[in-house]
């Protein structure tokens, strides 16, 4: 187990180096310099700015000093927000995104598992068709359609929620539903499929033959194995939640990291973009590792290798 | 014990049966015809594609013709789906946006298909260490936050449709490579390939006559399922402003415009959103139906 974790961490290091190198050179070799877009810059000011950010040094020297700082966990100063470091900006905005992501994940798992398990208990009956058709609709409504639609119905027409902002507890409802809805739908389909497969296995028949109640069969015997597909989906789902948060935070004007990433990308704040990309990469790699550990713990047939 | 002539008759009958055996494709078509949702999906996509690509020749209003005095109007007899803020016919704009969205979907799928099939077939066919190394590389790429890298790519370089195709295709080939490799691996171990080898057929004949037709079904199915995920990625990028740029418009940009104006003019959101969702819906159902129909393990019925 420990060896497995260590090996995964060792594998993650070259991946991160590749990502950092790739983003660094993509950004530096791009046509246009970071301060070209500023309207009121004279060549002197621009030269001073570039000297301040070390952009006048040879490319390789810039690369090694950036990587050196990165090892220390320092993403450098932001190009657009004067006197603020990328670390500060991430530290300020990530908790908001984390909160949103946590709510969305809860909605996805609770709603999805409930719907999927209920549907699997009586396949091809109304309790199967209704939740599964809703799941299919949910899958075909991506965040950028779902978000505006929810605002239109619950914000503008019914007036139950604010249409944007992140101030009151009620402001969390629509964004979390938007972000979690798609994954709830997907989870429901996976849970149904996994449960249906498990319910045909011999050990379930044995449990029934021994007189276990239906409730006990489902909760005690089937659930653990039936939910394996859902657990392996959590890894990709988290990566998806990250990119989904871009859209949701833009639509609902939530001051999270996703919105910072999009606006800094549109503003060409390269330091911020690079920092966020690497931060997201670490986040996704760590979450994938955790999911893999849980997966082996749930399914003894898999070994750590 | 039947008499000799009767035996001959049986034999002739058996021969006939073999000759009239239905092909894989005809079987699949029969199965597909029973799946009404998949047929509906396929039909809708076909109609939509025809409408989108033929709209320039149908003589309906141009997608960019403005009528500022008209402004945004709800659906009417003249403008079936209403007009947008600049008085442009929404129907024409949706059909035009659909042309871009579908083109991106098809072209990027083609890119991913090309890379994925070649890579997957090579890995599966070469096997051994080469295969392990090639698939390890795919695993590593899988771990990358690709959507973010695509955004980065679109920010840094001049945004063009070609770059969009390439970037999305470069992301989507991974799954295709994995699936094709898995198929080639299992097929290579099957008896009919062994039999073909035992018969002394040449390698090329084995690959083209026996291997490819059997992988083809799976490739077609996953290509059909890749199209909606590509269109989703394109719309996602365009919605955020990283994809298709004005004056061009795709469904992603139309939905974004609609979302901004939905308070006063909800139809500007509702129509593009329903076209987009219905298309995803149809493509997914059609793909699922194809998968059920083309899966050779599915029982004959």
């Amino acid at each position: 187990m420990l060896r497995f974790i260590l090996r995964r961490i060792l594998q993650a290091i070259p991946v991160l180096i590749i990502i950092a190198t790739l983003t660094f050179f993509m950004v530096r070799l791009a046509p246009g310099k970071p301060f070209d877009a500023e309207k009121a810059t004279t060549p002197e000011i621009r030269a001073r700015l570039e000297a301040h950010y070390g952009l006048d040094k040879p490319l390789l020297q810039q690369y090694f000093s950036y990587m050196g700082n990165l090892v220390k966990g320092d993403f450098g100063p932001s190009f657009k927000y004067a006197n603020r470091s990328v670390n500060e900006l991430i530290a300020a905005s990530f908790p908001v995104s984390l909160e949103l992501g946590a709510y969305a994940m809860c909605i996805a798992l609770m709603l999805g598992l409930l719907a999927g398990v209920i549907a699997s208990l009586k396949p091809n009956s109304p309790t199967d068709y209704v939740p599964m058709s809703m799941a299919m609709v949910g899958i075909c409504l991506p965040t950028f359609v779902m978000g505006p639609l929810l605002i239109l119905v619950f914000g503008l027409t019914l007036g139950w929620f604010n249409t944007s902002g992140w101030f009151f507890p009620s402001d969390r409802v629509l964004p979390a539903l938007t972000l979690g809805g798609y994954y709830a739908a997907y989870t429901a389909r996976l849970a149904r499929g996994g449960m249906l497969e498990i319910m045909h296995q011999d050990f379930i028949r044995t449990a029934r033959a021994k007189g276990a109640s239906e409730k006990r069969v489902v909760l005690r015997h089937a659930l653990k194995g039936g939910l394996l597909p859902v657990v392996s989906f959590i890894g990709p789902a988290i990566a998806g939640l990250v990119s989904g948060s871009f859209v949701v935070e833009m639509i609902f004007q939530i001051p999270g990291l996703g919105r910072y990433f999009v606006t800094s990308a549109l503003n060409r704040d390269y330091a911020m973009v690079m920092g966020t990309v690497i931060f997201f990469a670490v986040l996704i790699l760590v979450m994938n590792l955790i999911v893999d550990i849980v997966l082996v713990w749930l399914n003894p047939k898999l070994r750590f290798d | 014990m039947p008499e000799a002539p009767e035996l001959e008759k049986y034999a002739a009958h058996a021969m006939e049966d073999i000759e009239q055996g239905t092909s894989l494709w005809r079987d699949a078509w029969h199965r597909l015809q029973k799946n009404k949702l998949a047929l509906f999906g396929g039909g809708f996509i076909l109609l939509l594609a025809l409408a989108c690509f033929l709209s320039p020749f149908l003589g309906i209003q141009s997608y960019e013709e403005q009528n500022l005095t008209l402004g945004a109007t709800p659906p009417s007899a003249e403008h079936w789906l209403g007009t947008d803020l600049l008085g442009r016919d929404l129907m024409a704009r949706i059909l035009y946006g659909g042309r871009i969205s579908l083109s991106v979907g098809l072209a990027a799928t083609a890119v991913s298909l090309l890379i994925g099939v070649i890579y997957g077939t090579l890995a599966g066919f070469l096997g051994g260490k080469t295969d392990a190394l090639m698939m390890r590389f795919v695993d590593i790429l899988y771990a990358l936050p690709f959507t973010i890298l695509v955004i980065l790519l679109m920010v840094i370089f001049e945004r063009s449709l070609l770059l969009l195709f390439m970037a999305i295709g470069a992301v989507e080939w991974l799954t295709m490579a994995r699936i094709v490799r898995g198929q080639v691996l299992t097929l290579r171990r099957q008896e009919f390939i062994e039999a073909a080898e035992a018969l002394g057929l040449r390698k090329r004949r084995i690959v083209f006559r026996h291997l490819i037709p059997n992988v083809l079904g799976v490739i077609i199915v996953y290509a059909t399922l890749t199209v909606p995920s590509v269109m989703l990625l394109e719309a996602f990028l365009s919605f955020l402003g990283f994809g298709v740029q004005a004056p061009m418009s795709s469904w992603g940009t139309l939905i974004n415009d609609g979302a901004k104006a939905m308070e006063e003019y909800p139809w500007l959101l509702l129509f593009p959103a329903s076209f987009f969702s219905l298309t995803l819906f149809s493509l997914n159902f059609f793909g699922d139906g194809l998968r059920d129909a083309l899966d050779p393990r599915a029982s004959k019925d």
Side-chain angles (χ1 to χ4, degrees):
Chain A
M1 166 103 174
L2 204 66
R3 264 186 57 202
F4 169 77
I5 297 175
L6 270 178
R7 201 167 62 218
R8 285 291 295 270
I9 292 174
L10 283 181
Q11 276 175 5
I13 290 171
V15 173
L16 286 176
I17 293 178
I18 293 173
I19 294 178
T21 311
L22 214 70
T23 44
F24 180 88
F25 284 103
M26 263 165 69
V27 163
R28 292 303 145 105
L29 299 178
K33 291 249 170 60
F35 301 106
D36 282 358
E38 308 277 324
K39 279 180 194 124
T41 46
T42 62
E44 293 82 35
I45 293 178
R46 196 185 304 166
R48 289 277 295 279
L49 274 172
E50 282 175 6
H52 176 70
Y53 289 106
L55 296 173
D56 53 345
K57 299 205 181 72
L59 194 63
L60 270 183
Q61 196 186 331
Q62 285 183 40
Y63 172 67
F64 285 115
S65 78
Y66 185 81
M67 294 303 270
N69 287 334
L70 208 56
V71 173
K72 286 181 264 169
D74 179 8
F75 291 122
S78 159
F79 286 179
K80 280 276 143 58
Y81 300 94
N83 296 325
R84 295 199 68 181
S85 72
V86 173
N87 291 54
E88 283 169 15
L89 289 171
I90 292 180
S93 57
F94 181 62
V96 175
S97 296
L98 192 65
E99 193 189 339
L100 172 63
Y103 291 141
M105 206 66 199
C106 284
I107 288 180
L109 288 181
M110 287 190 326
L111 219 66
L113 288 183
L114 202 67
V117 172
I118 288 176
S120 75
L121 293 182
K122 277 190 188 149
N124 299 324
S125 72
T127 55
D128 180 16
Y129 290 140
V130 173
M132 281 305 112
S133 324
M134 277 172 65
M136 197 63 218
V137 171
I139 282 181
C140 295
L141 286 176
T143 43
F144 51 87
V145 174
M146 186 74 129
L149 284 183
L150 286 180
I151 294 180
L152 190 63
V153 175
F154 295 104
L156 295 173
T157 312
L158 296 173
W160 291 355
F161 299 101
N162 291 329
T163 53
S164 63
W166 191 254
F167 305 106
F168 310 106
S170 66
D171 288 345
R172 271 70 169 165
V173 175
L174 292 186
L177 267 181
T178 308
L179 193 52
Y182 175 85
Y183 294 95
Y186 214 99
T187 305
R189 278 163 63 104
L190 287 176
R192 176 181 179 272
M195 287 299 283
L196 278 182
E197 207 176 313
I198 283 283
M199 293 301 265
H200 286 297
Q201 303 238 335
D202 290 343
F203 72 91
I204 296 293
R205 201 169 32 175
T206 310
R208 283 207 176 113
K210 285 167 116 180
S213 67
E214 194 61 28
K215 195 171 117 194
R216 192 178 158 81
V217 167
V218 171
L219 293 181
R220 182 87 183 80
H221 297 277
L223 212 54
K224 200 173 158 191
L227 299 187
L228 281 178
V230 176
V231 179
S232 30
F233 174 63
I234 292 179
I238 287 168
L241 283 184
V242 167
S243 44
S245 74
F246 303 165
V247 168
V248 173
E249 288 176 13
M250 289 304 277
I251 294 176
F252 292 95
Q253 313 210 346
I254 298 165
L257 189 53
R259 196 168 70 136
Y260 264 107
F261 174 72
V262 174
T263 45
S264 56
L266 289 171
N267 288 331
R268 296 179 175 247
D269 181 349
Y270 290 142
M272 183 70 195
V273 171
M274 286 173 66
T276 331
V277 169
I278 295 164
F279 181 79
F280 280 139
V282 174
L283 186 75
I284 291 172
L285 287 174
V286 169
M287 295 315 278
N288 276 334
L289 177 63
I290 295 175
V291 167
D292 281 353
I293 292 172
V294 173
L295 212 55
V296 178
W297 176 66
L298 276 178
N299 186 0
K301 272 190 208 157
L302 293 170
R303 290 273 173 274
F304 287 112
D305 55 22
Chain B
M1 230 6 226
E3 299 287 308
E6 235 171 272
L7 251 182
E8 257 169 46
K9 217 168 83 188
Y10 272 121
H13 204 71
M15 289 291 280
E16 235 167 58
D17 266 358
I18 290 168
E19 272 174 11
Q20 285 180 347
T22 51
S23 74
L24 178 76
W25 301 102
R26 180 178 289 198
D27 251 12
W29 173 236
H30 278 305
R31 278 195 288 264
L32 188 63
Q33 273 179 321
K34 286 190 184 143
N35 190 339
K36 292 286 176 285
L37 265 176
L39 278 187
F40 165 79
F44 178 78
I45 294 301
L46 206 67
L47 272 179
L48 185 79
L50 277 178
C52 285
F53 287 98
L54 292 181
S55 63
F57 312 108
L58 289 181
I60 57 173
Q61 199 183 342
S62 151
Y63 72 95
E64 49 187 359
E65 196 183 306
Q66 299 185 0
N67 187 346
L68 289 173
T69 48
L70 188 63
T73 54
S76 60
E78 196 179 342
H79 301 284
W80 288 0
L81 301 183
T83 54
D84 73 358
L85 295 165
L86 298 174
R88 294 174 294 193
D89 183 61
L90 189 59
M91 173 103 136
R93 288 186 66 70
I94 287 177
L95 289 180
Y96 173 79
R99 213 178 330 152
I100 303 261
S101 291
L102 286 174
S103 309
V104 173
L106 292 176
T109 302
V111 172
S112 77
L113 205 62
L114 197 71
I115 309 176
V117 169
I118 292 177
Y119 196 93
T121 316
L122 270 181
F125 216 73
L126 295 174
K129 277 229 169 72
T130 331
D131 173 43
L133 200 72
M134 284 174 90
M135 290 334 275
R136 194 77 215 114
F137 179 64
V138 170
D139 286 345
I140 289 176
L141 287 183
Y142 245 111
L144 300 187
F146 253 118
T147 352
I148 305 175
L149 283 180
V150 172
I151 292 182
L152 202 60
L153 214 63
M154 298 305 290
V155 169
I156 289 169
F157 298 101
E158 210 172 302
R159 286 164 217 176
S160 68
L161 267 188
L162 192 69
L163 181 66
L164 196 63
F165 295 156
M166 307 291 279
I168 296 178
V171 180
E172 298 281 344
W173 69 270
L174 296 170
T175 317
M176 188 65 84
R178 270 192 179 171
I179 289 164
V180 171
R181 174 212 171 239
Q183 283 290 314
V184 170
L185 269 187
T186 43
L187 280 176
R188 279 199 67 188
R189 289 200 210 100
Q190 303 242 320
E191 283 94 348
F192 72 94
I193 296 287
E194 230 170 86
E197 272 166 5
L199 282 171
L201 297 185
R202 274 168 303 154
K203 241 199 176 108
R204 218 179 61 198
R205 190 174 159 82
I206 294 177
V207 169
F208 283 100
R209 187 78 186 90
H210 298 284
L211 212 54
I212 298 264
N214 280 293
V215 191
L216 207 58
V218 177
I219 295 175
I220 291 174
V221 167
Y222 280 93
T224 325
L225 290 172
T226 304
V227 175
S229 71
V230 167
M231 290 178 67
L232 199 62
L233 186 53
E234 180 275 326
F236 167 80
L237 290 172
S238 296
F239 181 86
L240 288 177
F242 297 116
V244 174
Q245 300 292 303
M248 277 196 291
S249 64
S250 76
W251 283 344
T253 55
L254 284 180
I255 292 172
N256 190 20
D257 293 345
K260 281 179 193 148
M262 67 182 171
E263 196 160 357
E264 294 94 6
Y265 316 112
W267 64 90
L268 289 181
L269 170 70
L270 290 177
F271 288 124
S274 17
F275 266 83
F276 184 69
S277 291
L278 205 57
T279 306
L280 288 187
F281 196 75
S282 303
L283 276 168
N284 278 324
F285 268 114
F286 186 61
D288 278 349
L290 266 188
R291 176 168 50 199
D292 294 344
L294 276 175
D295 190 345
R297 281 165 303 177
S299 59
K300 274 191 182 183
D301 46 19

